[in-house]
Amino acid sequence: MSVSRPPEPALSPEPAASRQGPDVPTLLVKIFGKDRPGITAGLFDTLAAYSVDVVDIEQVVTRGRIVLCALVTAPTAGGTTEGELRATVHSWAESLKLQAEIISGTGDNRPRGVGRSHVTVLGHPLTAESTAAIAARITSTGGNIDRIFRLAKYPVTAVEFAVSGTGTEELRTALAPEAAGIGVDVAVVSAGLSRRAQRLVVMDVDSTLIQDEVIELFAAHAGCEAEVTEVTERAMRGELDFEQSLHARVALLAGLDVSVVDKVRSEVRLTPGARTLIRTLKRLGYQVGVVSGGFTQVTDDLKERLGLDFASANTLEVVDGKLTGRVTGAIVDRAGKARLLRSFAAEAGVPLAQTVAIGDGANDLDMLNTAGLGVAFNAKPVVREAAHTAVNVPFLDTVLYLLGVTREEVEAADGLVE
């Protein structure tokens, strides 16, 4: 037995501008002046008398000054003229001590070029010179800056450029050396739904999530801190094989009482902004994990304290209440971190293209390059040069700006905005 389906409702008529094509007469109405409540409603109430259709609107308020732009179709109904509309709008603006400018034209904005990206610039401070350099380099790639807006004003200044007309990879390649030369951080990500859908963030632990190198905290209790630090630095610069250096450093801890684990946990210092980053990501529905060349004795505690979804690290062997100077199980090294990122993504049901990895050392490079977005955080030069983007300010929550989250949104979620 077949069941007939009722006809779908007809689509609403298209706006006049799209219905009549690019040649329809339009007016760009721009209003400038001191901001106050009611300006936007007042302008469109004034325009309503001329039966115009709204094609586009853009409004920004900076230091109490408003710039309001409205693109509308030219008046056609009731015999009214463009001249009458202009006179009425200017009179309304003058009554509020505002300035008005009205420009005649046709159609909407010109189509944007193929290829769209978000370019996030972090400065501490962000100077006019550096902004000019970034804008010029975008232009040199054939890109057009469609929009700029501020994401944060502290602890760093973060602004985002919406760019069209050039490829994301081309922009990254062009902007990376420019950013390094002028001392700002620049991240370039593709525009579109994939940016909003990045649902897994995986971080290194030592010198990323926390300010410390965990093995050095253990070494301080064993009286071999200098020896361990030297090996650690060589390994992080990529001068030593990580697994060999790990075994050499852990061997120096042999004989330490297991009670030192609790002492080390209490000494761990989170990186500024770490709690804010994780708390905000979780509120956004992201899953968050850590991978570490350090030890599960610390990462398991961090997972519980911070509400992380995933954690993996090496495990110090303990026998009869003493550290043996050995580790058990598979070593979490450079390749292991990338493997764990893939494993976490599969378990979370998140495509690799929608993952973010954050790290600082050479053993993070495979993970950073496997992720959809790899962020080098206060990293060694070899890592900054190879990662998708670099952040060189000591605030881990600045990574949120690379994901398009504004400081105001973070504070509102935390109930800090009055």
Side-chain angles (χ1 to χ4, degrees):
M1 175 179 176
S2 62
V3 178
S4 61
R5 297 176 59 188
E8 295 184 1
L11 296 176
S12 300
E14 294 184 351
S18 60
R19 184 172 64 246
Q20 298 180 30
D23 295 329
V24 61
T26 53
L27 301 175
L28 176 58
V29 181
K30 299 196 290 183
I31 303 298
F32 316 83
K34 184 178 180 181
D35 188 34
R36 74 200 72 177
I39 290 177
T40 305
L43 172 62
F44 286 99
D45 186 53
T46 302
L47 294 171
Y50 296 89
S51 300
V52 299
D53 294 328
V54 177
V55 179
D56 197 3
I57 309 172
E58 190 83 23
Q59 177 176 307
V60 63
V61 177
T62 304
R63 209 183 66 181
R65 310 294 291 186
I66 188 172
V67 179
L68 170 59
C69 296
L71 185 66
V72 300
T73 55
T76 57
T80 56
T81 66
E82 179 182 318
E84 290 172 330
L85 182 149
R86 287 175 175 270
T88 302
V89 170
H90 279 288
S91 177
W92 167 81
E94 289 174 4
S95 71
L96 295 177
K97 297 183 179 179
L98 299 170
Q99 293 179 287
E101 180 181 6
I102 302 175
I103 303 172
S104 300
T106 55
D108 197 348
N109 299 319
R110 62 183 176 82
R112 295 179 180 178
V114 176
R116 298 184 186 180
S117 304
H118 296 284
V119 178
T120 306
V121 183
L122 310 179
H124 190 55
L126 181 62
T127 66
E129 180 182 9
S130 59
T131 305
I134 294 298
R137 185 51 62 94
I138 290 171
T139 301
S140 74
T141 69
N144 184 72
I145 299 171
D146 300 318
R147 189 183 181 207
I148 307 173
F149 62 95
R150 186 176 69 183
L151 294 166
K153 60 182 178 181
Y154 74 90
V156 299
T157 301
V159 296
E160 183 172 287
F161 295 73
V163 178
S164 61
T166 190
T168 298
E169 289 302 324
E170 183 180 356
L171 267 178
R172 280 179 180 162
T173 300
L175 289 175
E178 188 72 41
I182 60 180
V184 298
D185 298 331
V186 174
V188 183
V189 298
S190 297
L193 291 177
S194 61
R195 188 191 192 201
R196 297 177 182 270
Q198 288 172 322
R199 309 299 288 183
L200 173 66
V201 176
V202 176
M203 290 176 275
D204 174 43
V205 175
D206 294 9
S207 299
T208 300
L209 177 63
I210 66 174
Q211 301 177 61
D212 313 283
E213 293 287 332
V214 167
I215 197 166
E216 294 176 8
L217 296 179
F218 278 100
H221 292 281
C224 57
E225 187 174 12
E227 296 94 322
V228 166
T229 299
E230 180 183 359
V231 178
T232 297
E233 290 178 350
R234 293 180 64 192
M236 296 303 285
R237 291 194 299 266
E239 298 173 5
L240 293 176
D241 173 79
F242 178 80
E243 183 171 351
Q244 291 178 336
S245 70
L246 177 68
H247 288 306
R249 289 174 291 174
V250 171
L252 296 169
L253 307 181
L256 272 179
D257 191 271
V258 72
S259 62
V260 78
V261 169
D262 288 334
K263 296 177 182 178
V264 168
R265 287 174 173 173
S266 68
E267 293 166 352
V268 165
R269 301 167 299 162
L270 292 174
T271 298
R275 289 186 183 277
T276 300
L277 172 66
I278 294 169
R279 182 173 63 247
T280 304
L281 291 174
K282 298 293 288 182
R283 284 173 173 165
L284 290 170
Y286 283 51
Q287 296 188 59
V288 185
V290 293
V291 291
S292 176
F295 311 111
T296 56
Q297 282 85 352
V298 172
T299 57
D300 287 350
D301 179 63
L302 289 170
K303 180 182 179 183
E304 182 178 350
R305 286 167 51 196
L306 299 174
L308 303 176
D309 300 284
F310 304 98
S312 188
N314 301 301
T315 299
L316 292 169
E317 184 182 63
V318 179
V319 175
D320 296 329
K322 303 287 184 181
L323 302 187
T324 66
R326 297 186 295 270
V327 293
T328 62
I331 298 299
V332 177
D333 57 6
R334 176 169 170 167
K337 288 187 173 185
R339 184 177 63 252
L340 286 163
L341 171 67
R342 295 188 185 95
S343 176
F344 293 167
E347 186 175 343
V350 174
L352 281 175
Q354 294 171 202
T355 63
V356 181
I358 310 168
D360 74 297
N363 64 332
D364 296 316
L365 274 174
D366 289 3
M367 176 178 72
L368 297 181
N369 290 323
T370 298
L373 175 64
V375 181
F377 181 73
N378 292 310
K380 313 300 183 290
V382 66
V383 183
R384 290 199 303 268
E385 293 169 6
H388 297 145
T389 190
V391 171
N392 296 301
V393 293
F395 311 107
L396 193 56
D397 54 342
T398 54
V399 172
L400 292 168
Y401 310 144
L402 309 185
L403 306 178
V405 180
T406 70
R407 189 74 198 178
E408 288 183 346
E409 289 170 328
V410 174
E411 291 182 344
D414 285 338
L416 298 179
V417 175
E418 297 180 355

